[in-house]
Amino acid sequence: MTAITARIAARALLPGARLPSVRAQAKAMAVSVSTVVEAYERLAAEGAIRSRPGSGFYVSGAAVPLALAEIGPKREREIDPLWISRQSLEAGEEVLKPGCGWLPASWMHEAGLRRGLRALARAETATITDYATPLGLPALRRLLARRMAACGIEAGPGQIMLTDCGTQAIDLICRFLLEPGDTVLLDDPCYFNFHALLKAHRAKVVGVPYTPSGPDVDAFEAALAAHSPRLYITNSAIHNPTGAVLSPAVAHRLLTLAERAGLVVVEDDIFADFEPAPAPRLAAFDGLTRVIHIGSFSKTLSASVRCGYIAAPREWIDSLADLKIATSFGGGRLAADLLLAALTDGGYRKHMEAVRRRLAAALDETVGRLGALGITPWLLPRAGMFLWCRLPDGVDAARLARACLQEGVVLAPGNAFSQSQTASGFLRFNVAQSTDARIFDVIGRALRGGTSAPPAGRQSDRPASRAISPR
Amino acid sequence: MTAITARIAARALLPGARLPSVRAQAKAMAVSVSTVVEAYERLAAEGAIRSRPGSGFYVSGAAVPLALAEIGPKREREIDPLWISRQSLEAGEEVLKPGCGWLPASWMHEAGLRRGLRALARAETATITDYATPLGLPALRRLLARRMAACGIEAGPGQIMLTDCGTQAIDLICRFLLEPGDTVLLDDPCYFNFHALLKAHRAKVVGVPYTPSGPDVDAFEAALAAHSPRLYITNSAIHNPTGAVLSPAVAHRLLTLAERAGLVVVEDDIFADFEPAPAPRLAAFDGLTRVIHIGSFSKTLSASVRCGYIAAPREWIDSLADLKIATSFGGGRLAADLLLAALTDGGYRKHMEAVRRRLAAALDETVGRLGALGITPWLLPRAGMFLWCRLPDGVDAARLARACLQEGVVLAPGNAFSQSQTASGFLRFNVAQSTDARIFDVIGRALRGGTSAPPAGRQSDRPASRAISPR
C-alpha cells in the first residue's frame, strides 16, 4: 500500500492509469498474490484507486475507459460477439460470409431505393435539410401502425417513435428501464449483439433455453423467481439464430408469468417481412402494456438507410422521446422519407415475395449441401435466412470457424449466441449468403482436418472451376 | 412499514409501482412526514422498495423508467432544455423561432444535397443497401482528416470514427468514460442539451463561468480541485450560446490544468465552418492525447442527413467502435456518402461564403432591432448565428419567453443554458431565425406588458403590412 501510494503521490502513476495485474504486482514486489489483493482492496476502500469490473484497478481522479472487450469472462475471439460483427462488417466482397446476419446487397430492394432517391432529389427543402419531429415522420408512423394492425398489434401512431435503427431502439429501452447491475433475461441461444449491448449497460444476463416453440417456460419461471430480472429481450416471428416460431401457448404462459413478476418484455421483430403469414406476437396478446415492440427495415430494404422504430405503452413515449433528444437530438427526416417512399411505391411487396421464394430455394440447397458434410438442421425453419445446425459429433464450431476464416470464409459458431456456452457443436448459417459452392468445399476440408488448399478468398488463387456456384 | 409490506404482499402494490410521495403517505396515514421517511428508508435498506433519484420510491422487482424530466431540481418549463428542444423540433412553419439553434431550411446547402441525391440514385448497389464499416466511409474520414489539418489538428483517418450525429458522438464518449455519479465540467452558460445528455448518464454537473475569451481559468482550477471531474465538455471555435472564441492563452492554461488532473476534454466543433478563419482548437494544442474532437454538418449542410464524427486518441478508437456496434450496430453508408458528395462537389465552399455574408448582415440587423428594445449583446460575435443578449434591468427571460410563446414566437431564455441559474436576464438569439420583423413587435409588446394583440403565429390573423420582413 505504501509503495503504490508513494508512486501515485510522485505522479509515477497518473490519474486514470491502470495498475499492474495482481499477479504481475505480486511477482514484481516478491510478495504473495493475496497480499496484493488485500492492498488493492484497501486502497480501493480508501478511494485512492478504483476497480472497473472485468478490467482491473485504476488510479482515481480520472475517467477509466469502458472497454467492452475486457468485460466478463474472456472468450475465444471466434465466439466473441463484437469480433464476429466486425468480421462481417469489415469483410470485403472477396470474403464469403455464410455466418453473416444479413442478406447480400444484391438481394435488397435496390430498385425501390433508387426510385426513392430520385424522388427525394425533388422533395421540398425541409425534407432534405431539417431535423425530424421528436417522434419522427407522421406518415411513416401511420404506415407502421397499419402494418402492426395486420399482425394483431394495436398501436396508434402516437405510440410509435422512430429511431436510427433497431439496435438503437433496444438501446433506448435499456437506458430507459435498466440500472447498472440489473438482470436481463435472454434466449439461449439468441442474437449475439444482445450480449454486447447489455455489457454496455453493465447488466447481468441470465439465459433461458430456447425450444422449437419459444423459450422453455419452466426455466423462464425459475429464472424469474431466482433473479428478479427487469427485462426479457427476444425475437418474435422468426427467432435468431434458430429460425423457430413462438407458439400461442408459450406466448400466453410467458405473458402471464411476466405480468405476475412485473417484467417488461422487448419483442424485436426485425424479421417480420420474411414471414409468409404472421406468427403470434407477444405485443398482440399483451396490447402493448408490458411488451415493447421494436423493428426496422435493415434486413429487407436497406441497412444503409438507418431507421428503426419503437411501439411502447403510451405513457412511456414522452420519456423515450426525451431520451432520444438528449442522446441523439431527434433524428433526420431523410432516412424516414426514403423508407416511406420505398415501402409504398408498390414494388416492396413484390420484392419481398421474390426474396421469400429465393430464400426457400437457398434453404433447400443449403440443407442438402450441409447434409452431405454431416451437418444437420436443429429445426427446418418456416421462413427467414437462418439455419441453426448441429455439427458432426466431436467437432468444435469455434475451431472450425478459425480454420475456415484462414480460407476466407466467415462462420458464426454457436457459442457466440449462447450465454451458457452450451452450443459449441452448432453453427448458424445464413442461407442467402451460402449460395457459393466454395463455402462447402472449405468447410469439408476443415472438417477432414486439411486446411492446406489455397485460400478461397483470394481472387488470384481461385481455380476457375470453383469460381462461382452454378445457381 | 407493516402497512406497505402487506400491500406489496397482497399485490395491491405491484412490482415497479411508484409509492405515494412522502407527504401524501403521511397525510393518508395520519402520521408525521419523518415517520414515513424513516419507513421508506428502512424498506429500501431491506430491498423491498427502491429509490430512483429525483423520482421517488418504487416497489422492487421491476424496472423503474428513467424520466429525465423528473431528475434534478424542477425548473420552469420555459428553461427546461428538453422542453425548449421539443418546441423548436415540433414548431410548424407558421411559428417564429429566434430561439432555435439551427439555420432555416432555406439557408442550408440544398443544391449540393439535391445533386448528391441524384448521384446516389445511380451509386453502386452496396452503397444504398449495405452496412458501413465499423469506422465508416474511408473517403469521408480522409476528408475530415484534411479539414482538421487545416485547423492544426493532426488526426489520421484511423483516429476518426463516423457517428450518426454530433450528439451521438458525445454520448458515445460519455458511455466510454463516465460511470453514474461521475462529475462533468460544463461552461456556464453552455449548449443546453449537454445538461439533458448528462442527466441521461446520471452524471453530476459543475459549471464554470464563461468569459469572452473562454472558461474562467481560476474557477476551472478550483472546480478541478473541489470536484475531481472526469470530463470537460465545451464548444470550440464559436461558443454556444455566447458566440465567444477561446484565446490561445486560456487554451494553454486549460490544457495544462487538464493534464495535471487527468481530465479528458471533449471539444465540440460543430460550428467550425461558420468561422472566416480558424480560432484556436484545444485538439490542435494537445495533439489528441487527452482532447477528443467531435463535429458534424447538421448546422451547415443538412440536419436531415445524420452524420457526425469523433477524432480521439488512437488507442481509444477500437473500444469506441465496439461501443458503437453494440449500441447502434455500425451505421449506414448512405448518409456518409451523401455528405461526402455535398462537401466535395465544389459548391460547399461558395455556399458557406454566402451563409457567412448572410449571417453578418442578419447580425447587424438583429443587433439594431434589439437595441431599439433596450436589449444589448453581451459580446459582438466574430461569426456564427448566435447572439447572447442582456435584457433590460428587471426583465425575467423565462417570463418573457412564456408571453412570446403565446404569440407564436419561441425564445431561448438564458437559464436554460446556465447550471448556476444566473442568466435569468439573458436571451440567446439566432440571427438567421430573427429576420422577421414581427418577432420584435411581439417582444416589444411583451416587454411593455401587453400581450393582447392577435397571435403572430396564425396566418389568417396576420396583417398584410407585417407579413414578411423586407430583407
Side-chain angles (χ1 to χ4, degrees):
Chain A
M1 283 180 72
T2 315
I4 294 163
T5 310
R7 292 189 66 202
I8 293 173
R11 303 187 60 73
L13 278 170
L14 286 171
R18 187 170 168 178
L19 293 180
S21 74
V22 167
R23 208 163 292 275
Q25 185 78 273
K27 204 172 165 193
M29 303 189 77
V31 297
S32 76
V33 164
S34 64
T35 304
V36 177
V37 168
E38 201 185 329
Y40 279 14
E41 279 174 0
R42 282 206 212 161
L43 285 164
E46 287 177 4
I49 66 176
R50 299 195 297 155
S51 85
R52 184 128 202 182
S55 165
F57 287 87
Y58 294 81
V59 180
S60 294
V64 176
L66 174 69
L68 295 185
E70 290 178 8
I71 295 180
K74 287 276 171 290
R75 289 188 178 182
E76 291 173 89
R77 205 177 60 165
E78 284 70 20
I79 54 166
D80 173 42
L82 287 164
W83 194 82
I84 294 181
S85 297
R86 272 175 181 259
Q87 284 307 304
S88 289
L89 290 169
E90 281 169 354
E93 281 172 25
E94 73 289 358
V95 173
L96 299 168
K97 309 185 278 194
C100 158
W102 52 91
L103 297 178
S106 61
W107 287 48
M108 305 297 273
H109 189 31
E110 188 178 338
L113 291 165
R114 293 193 193 280
R115 280 194 296 273
L117 285 164
R118 286 194 296 269
L120 268 178
R122 299 183 303 267
E124 63 170 20
T125 307
T127 300
I128 62 171
T129 61
D130 225 345
Y131 289 99
T133 54
L135 295 188
L137 189 65
L140 181 55
R141 289 187 287 116
R142 285 194 295 271
L143 174 69
L144 292 170
R146 287 196 299 274
R147 285 169 49 96
M148 286 183 213
C151 299
I153 302 168
E154 279 182 52
Q159 271 179 283
I160 299 172
M161 180 173 83
L162 303 186
T163 62
D164 284 337
C165 60
T167 306
Q168 196 214 15
I170 304 180
D171 183 49
L172 278 172
I173 296 161
C174 288
R175 296 180 101 133
F176 182 55
L177 292 174
L178 295 183
E179 298 185 59
D182 278 353
T183 298
V184 176
L185 296 190
L186 292 179
D187 300 321
D188 188 347
C190 72
Y191 171 43
F192 51 69
N193 201 53
F194 290 163
H195 292 127
L197 175 64
L198 290 170
K199 269 191 187 181
H201 287 276
R202 306 171 205 197
K204 283 181 227 150
V205 168
V206 171
V208 175
Y210 207 77
T211 79
S213 55
D216 177 318
V217 183
D218 293 333
F220 193 89
E221 184 168 13
L224 288 181
H227 303 285
S228 299
R230 309 268 175 245
L231 265 189
Y232 167 53
I233 306 178
T234 189
N235 289 125
S236 56
I238 301 169
H239 179 252
N240 181 0
T242 64
V245 168
L246 192 68
S247 78
V250 170
H252 171 68
R253 277 200 62 197
L254 207 131
L255 284 170
T256 307
L257 291 170
E259 198 171 326
R260 204 179 301 154
L263 180 76
V264 177
V265 179
V266 177
E267 176 173 61
D268 175 3
D269 200 18
I270 51 165
F271 300 109
D273 289 349
F274 290 105
E275 289 181 301
R281 297 296 197 281
L282 292 168
F285 283 62
D286 168 77
L288 288 177
T289 61
R290 66 176 53 260
V291 174
I292 300 176
H293 191 78
I294 76 112
S296 88
F297 297 90
S298 300
K299 304 294 183 188
T300 54
L301 222 160
S302 168
S304 178
V305 182
R306 306 304 283 157
C307 186
Y309 58 88
I310 296 175
R314 201 175 293 273
E315 64 273 22
W316 286 354
I317 286 289
D318 266 351
S319 291
L320 284 167
D322 280 349
L323 265 176
K324 185 173 88 160
I325 292 172
T327 59
S328 68
F329 207 74
R333 297 194 180 193
L334 196 89
D337 260 284
L338 181 51
L339 272 193
L340 180 66
L343 284 170
T344 53
D345 81 344
Y348 182 67
R349 182 189 297 259
K350 270 196 181 162
H351 158 71
M352 283 313 300
E353 280 168 10
V355 167
R356 284 194 292 265
R357 276 195 306 273
R358 222 171 152 182
L359 280 172
L363 178 70
D364 280 350
E365 190 170 317
T366 307
V367 168
R369 284 167 160 177
L370 289 171
L373 298 172
I375 301 175
T376 51
W378 178 76
L379 173 141
L380 212 56
R382 274 192 229 169
M385 64 183 97
F386 296 131
L387 191 60
W388 181 241
C389 293
R390 202 184 299 272
L391 289 167
D393 279 351
V395 176
D396 179 77
R399 220 166 304 160
L400 185 70
R402 198 174 313 135
C404 291
L405 187 66
Q406 283 178 355
E407 306 216 27
V409 173
V410 177
L411 297 177
N415 272 347
F417 304 86
S418 171
Q419 176 66 12
S420 60
Q421 297 290 287
T422 52
S424 66
F426 287 83
L427 282 176
R428 184 193 72 183
F429 281 87
N430 175 344
V431 298
Q433 299 272 9
S434 302
T435 56
D436 191 314
R438 287 176 293 161
I439 291 167
F440 305 90
D441 295 343
V442 168
I443 296 174
R445 273 201 306 281
L447 283 173
R448 292 188 302 272
T451 53
S452 57
R458 299 207 192 128
Q459 291 275 352
S460 54
D461 296 335
R462 191 183 294 165
S465 63
R466 333 204 306 269
I468 289 291
S469 139
R471 39 185 337 270
Chain B
M1 282 179 73
T2 314
I4 293 165
T5 309
R7 291 189 66 202
I8 293 173
R11 301 187 61 74
L13 277 171
L14 286 170
R18 187 169 168 178
L19 294 179
S21 74
V22 167
R23 209 165 291 276
Q25 186 76 278
K27 205 172 163 192
M29 304 189 76
V31 295
S32 76
V33 164
S34 62
T35 303
V36 177
V37 168
E38 203 185 325
Y40 278 15
E41 278 173 0
R42 282 207 212 161
L43 285 165
E46 287 177 3
I49 67 175
R50 299 194 299 153
S51 85
R52 182 126 204 183
S55 168
F57 288 87
Y58 294 81
V59 179
S60 293
V64 176
L66 175 68
L68 294 186
E70 290 178 7
I71 295 180
K74 286 273 172 292
R75 288 188 179 181
E76 292 174 87
R77 204 176 63 165
E78 284 71 19
I79 55 166
D80 173 42
L82 287 164
W83 195 82
I84 293 180
S85 296
R86 273 176 180 259
Q87 284 307 303
S88 290
L89 290 169
E90 282 169 353
E93 282 174 23
E94 72 290 358
V95 172
L96 300 167
K97 310 187 277 193
C100 158
W102 52 90
L103 297 179
S106 62
W107 287 50
M108 305 299 270
H109 190 30
E110 186 177 337
L113 291 165
R114 293 193 192 280
R115 279 193 297 273
L117 285 164
R118 286 193 296 269
L120 270 178
R122 299 183 303 268
E124 64 170 19
T125 307
T127 300
I128 62 172
T129 62
D130 224 346
Y131 289 99
T133 54
L135 295 187
L137 189 66
L140 181 55
R141 290 187 288 116
R142 286 194 294 271
L143 175 69
L144 291 171
R146 288 197 298 275
R147 287 169 49 96
M148 285 183 212
C151 298
I153 302 168
E154 279 183 51
Q159 271 179 281
I160 299 172
M161 180 175 84
L162 303 187
T163 62
D164 284 337
C165 61
T167 305
Q168 196 214 14
I170 305 180
D171 183 50
L172 278 172
I173 296 161
C174 289
R175 296 180 102 134
F176 182 55
L177 293 173
L178 294 185
E179 298 186 59
D182 278 353
T183 298
V184 176
L185 295 190
L186 292 179
D187 300 319
D188 189 348
C190 73
Y191 171 42
F192 51 71
N193 201 52
F194 291 162
H195 293 126
L197 175 63
L198 291 169
K199 268 190 188 181
H201 287 276
R202 306 172 206 197
K204 283 181 226 151
V205 169
V206 171
V208 174
Y210 208 77
T211 80
S213 55
D216 178 318
V217 183
D218 293 333
F220 193 88
E221 185 168 12
L224 288 181
H227 303 286
S228 300
R230 309 269 175 243
L231 267 188
Y232 167 51
I233 306 179
T234 188
N235 290 125
S236 57
I238 300 168
H239 179 254
N240 180 1
T242 65
V245 168
L246 192 67
S247 78
V250 170
H252 171 67
R253 279 198 62 196
L254 207 130
L255 284 170
T256 308
L257 292 170
E259 199 171 325
R260 205 178 300 155
L263 181 76
V264 177
V265 179
V266 176
E267 176 172 63
D268 174 4
D269 201 17
I270 51 165
F271 300 109
D273 288 349
F274 291 105
E275 289 182 301
R281 297 295 199 281
L282 292 168
F285 284 62
D286 167 77
L288 289 176
T289 61
R290 64 177 55 259
V291 174
I292 300 175
H293 191 76
I294 76 111
S296 87
F297 296 90
S298 300
K299 304 294 184 188
T300 54
L301 224 161
S302 169
S304 179
V305 183
R306 307 303 283 157
C307 186
Y309 58 87
I310 297 176
R314 201 175 294 272
E315 63 273 22
W316 287 354
I317 286 289
D318 266 351
S319 293
L320 284 167
D322 280 349
L323 265 177
K324 186 174 86 160
I325 291 172
T327 59
S328 68
F329 207 75
R333 296 194 181 193
L334 194 92
D337 259 284
L338 181 51
L339 271 193
L340 180 67
L343 283 169
T344 53
D345 81 343
Y348 182 67
R349 183 189 297 260
K350 271 196 180 162
H351 158 71
M352 283 313 299
E353 280 168 11
V355 166
R356 283 194 291 265
R357 277 196 305 273
R358 221 169 152 183
L359 279 173
L363 177 70
D364 281 349
E365 190 171 317
T366 307
V367 169
R369 283 167 161 174
L370 289 171
L373 298 172
I375 301 174
T376 53
W378 177 75
L379 173 140
L380 213 55
R382 275 192 227 169
M385 65 182 96
F386 296 131
L387 192 60
W388 182 241
C389 292
R390 202 184 298 274
L391 289 168
D393 280 351
V395 176
D396 179 77
R399 219 165 305 161
L400 186 68
R402 198 175 312 138
C404 291
L405 186 65
Q406 285 179 353
E407 306 216 27
V409 173
V410 177
L411 297 177
N415 273 347
F417 305 85
S418 171
Q419 176 67 13
S420 61
Q421 297 289 290
T422 51
S424 65
F426 287 83
L427 282 175
R428 183 192 74 182
F429 281 88
N430 174 343
V431 299
Q433 298 272 11
S434 303
T435 57
D436 191 314
R438 286 175 294 160
I439 292 166
F440 305 90
D441 294 343
V442 168
I443 296 173
R445 273 202 306 281
L447 283 173
R448 291 188 303 273
T451 53
S452 56
R458 301 207 191 129
Q459 291 274 354
S460 53
D461 296 335
R462 191 185 293 164
S465 63
R466 335 202 303 270
I468 289 290
S469 139
R471 32 186 340 269

